[in-house]
Amino acid sequence: MNDHRKLGRELDLFDTDPLMGSGLPYWLPDGAAIRHTLEEFIRGRERRAGYRHVYSPALGKRELYEISGHWAHYREDMFPPMELGSEQVVLRPSLCPHHALIFRSRPHSYRELPLRIAELGDMYRAELSGVLGGLSRVRAIRLNDAHVFCTPEQAADEAAAALELIREAHRALGVRPVRYRLSLPGGGGKYVADRALWERATALLTGVLERSGVPFEAVEGEAAFYGPKIDVQIADGAGRESTLSTVQVDFHQPERFGLHYTGPDGARHRPVMVHRSVIGSIERLVAHLIELYGGAFPAWLAPTQVVLLPVSEAELPQAARLRQRCLDLGLRAEVAGPEHGTLGARIRSARLAPYQAVVGAREAADGRVALRLRGGRRLDPLPAEEAWARIGALVAACSAELWPAGAGR
Ligand SMILES: [Zn+2]
């Protein structure tokens, strides 16, 4: 069984330092390359789905979370406030309040709705140190988040579109959810008290799940404090479940923040907020992908996509030129020269890279490369430009394949 904490260290993806603190991992260059790729992947998918991206600060005044309801319902999971002059500022436990303020900062007509605001933003959770480990439970979280501000009539379609975006992203990533959960409130004072609000939002999400055709189960006690959620659950190698993606319908925060838009009748109307996360937190997703692939990532996610292997010192300059050409084309490439050992040893140590390109005297002379695909399959030498173009196309398509079917031997 793959443990992402062990692999993450062995593959130099991330680590922690007691001086930074537990639950506060840092990302090494190879891990950062994966993270950057995932962030660009989701931004691209969101742009195509009509989202616009913003940045907002990871801190806010305590008052902001009093308005949103986090202070009353979620304070135990938040870091304690910091005194700053006469103010108290808080590390944010979610992005929703900031996005509500961004919506509120400009007047909106019904013609602009649905307005989809997305952000890959940092948020913080005061997890107890006992549950921390690796990337799956952290105190500093990079969340793929978005809020759709829409009319009540648009909310079901927006939630359904978000669920579809989640399913498409999972397919591209190779993520297979273990179940879809309709998360409902439980007992206790954790939830805002407005029976009609819960019934309306629950009926809406139930309809979305039923229309999508995915099997789901309703679970009490797992809702957000402001509304029910669709949670898409993944499991690690030990069968421990966690939520990766989520869709929520919220009638509460628009009310708390006094959000409105001008309707066709010229009067003020209250929008609905659909909260959704397609790939969840980058930390949890990367932990899952490390375990899923055991470090042998699809080419588009691999930290190093092409390893150039000059047979001897004589081919080093050609290998360096080929590497630069790969970098210019946007491919992540490294040279593993003879100073790293015999060709056999270098091939073994680069075994997780999707592509190895051996550069011998003959290839150096005629501008060809002899590609070895991860797993050992060897292709006939082909012009370097053709190799990079084929790899580039597979990477751009987020393909799970290392080589087009039927191309080359
Ligand atoms: Zn939210």
Side-chain angles (χ1 to χ4, degrees):
M1 189 206 309
N2 295 319
D3 180 338
H4 83 275
R5 288 167 296 187
K6 188 165 168 285
L7 271 174
R9 250 164 229 118
E10 282 170 13
L11 301 174
D12 287 333
L13 301 179
F14 66 88
D15 215 331
T16 52
D17 189 296
L19 276 179
M20 291 188 204
S22 58
L24 297 167
Y26 58 88
W27 299 71
L28 291 158
D30 279 356
I34 298 173
R35 172 172 165 164
H36 181 89
T37 302
L38 289 168
E39 293 188 351
E40 277 312 294
F41 162 78
I42 194 60
R43 283 199 187 100
R45 296 280 165 140
E46 286 172 343
R47 277 194 295 270
R48 275 157 54 188
Y51 288 83
R52 312 239 12 234
H53 293 91
V54 297
Y55 291 104
S56 58
L59 288 162
K61 282 162 73 170
R62 170 179 154 173
E63 203 184 337
L64 175 58
Y65 306 99
E66 289 172 352
I67 295 170
S68 69
H70 285 88
W71 194 253
H73 298 280
Y74 197 74
R75 198 186 326 168
E76 279 154 34
D77 292 297
M78 293 168 64
F79 277 82
M82 292 169 267
E83 306 286 338
L84 193 67
S86 58
E87 290 174 354
Q88 285 194 326
V89 288
V90 179
L91 283 169
R92 68 176 167 191
S94 82
L95 280 64
C96 335
H98 284 84
H99 289 189
L101 292 184
I102 289 172
F103 180 85
R104 197 170 78 175
S105 68
R106 303 283 184 278
H108 297 286
S109 149
Y110 70 95
R111 291 188 196 86
E112 294 166 63
L113 306 187
L115 190 71
R116 307 178 186 95
I117 295 179
E119 181 173 1
L120 277 152
D122 293 320
M123 54 179 252
Y124 296 84
R125 193 162 287 171
E127 296 271 11
L128 298 172
S129 59
V131 298
L132 301 171
L135 293 177
S136 45
R137 279 205 109 138
V138 290
R139 289 172 169 162
I141 298 161
R142 170 76 124 196
L143 187 69
N144 157 241
D145 203 5
H147 296 92
V148 182
F149 298 87
C150 61
T151 68
E153 295 73 34
Q154 292 166 337
D157 283 349
E158 286 303 310
L163 185 59
E164 192 45 44
L165 194 57
I166 289 169
R167 297 178 74 195
E168 282 171 23
H170 287 178
R171 278 194 286 273
L173 292 161
V175 168
R176 280 183 289 277
V178 289
R179 66 185 172 131
Y180 289 77
R181 191 173 75 185
L182 177 61
S183 297
L184 303 171
K190 236 174 91 185
Y191 306 98
V192 300
D194 184 337
R195 210 185 151 76
L197 170 160
W198 285 96
E199 282 172 3
R200 201 172 149 209
T202 302
L204 193 149
L205 288 183
T206 305
V208 166
L209 280 164
E210 283 171 351
R211 268 199 290 152
S212 77
V214 295
F216 68 95
E217 45 196 290
V219 177
E220 286 186 4
E222 297 288 347
F225 72 81
Y226 48 79
K229 312 188 277 173
I230 296 171
D231 286 328
V232 187
Q233 302 293 105
I234 53 169
D236 67 8
R240 276 183 301 256
E241 241 185 63
S242 57
T243 300
L244 184 69
S245 315
T246 177
V247 182
Q248 309 165 18
V249 173
D250 178 9
F251 299 105
H252 176 72
Q253 291 189 62
E255 196 75 41
R256 300 281 295 184
F257 282 97
L259 305 184
H260 67 268
Y261 63 91
T262 306
D265 56 359
R268 288 177 160 209
H269 297 269
R270 188 76 74 213
V272 178
M273 267 171 95
V274 176
H275 309 235
R276 45 101 292 189
S277 179
V278 173
I279 56 171
S281 85
I282 296 290
E283 290 80 11
R284 186 170 284 175
L285 175 64
V286 171
H288 187 68
L289 294 175
I290 291 171
E291 297 189 356
L292 182 63
Y293 292 111
F297 297 102
W300 67 281
L301 281 174
T304 301
Q305 294 162 326
V306 181
V307 176
L308 293 147
L309 299 154
V311 172
S312 70
E313 297 275 338
E315 292 85 29
L316 262 176
Q318 171 67 357
R321 275 193 294 276
L322 288 169
R323 172 179 185 248
Q324 187 58 49
R325 179 64 184 148
C326 285
L327 297 179
D328 291 345
L329 292 166
L331 294 171
R332 296 184 287 273
E334 300 294 343
V335 175
E339 73 278 16
H340 296 290
T342 64
L343 186 61
R346 286 182 274 146
I347 286 174
R348 273 193 303 282
S349 65
R351 68 190 176 282
L352 290 177
Y355 306 100
Q356 301 177 350
V358 177
V359 186
R362 199 167 53 114
E363 288 84 11
D366 65 5
R368 295 158 89 87
V369 289
L371 281 188
R372 285 175 78 101
L373 307 186
R374 183 174 53 218
R377 184 179 158 202
R378 290 184 207 205
L379 305 175
D380 289 337
L382 74 167
E385 282 302 307
E386 191 184 325
W388 310 149
R390 285 186 186 272
I391 294 171
L394 290 163
V395 165
C398 302
S399 175
E401 306 296 327
L402 291 186
W403 202 246
R409 285 196 299 114

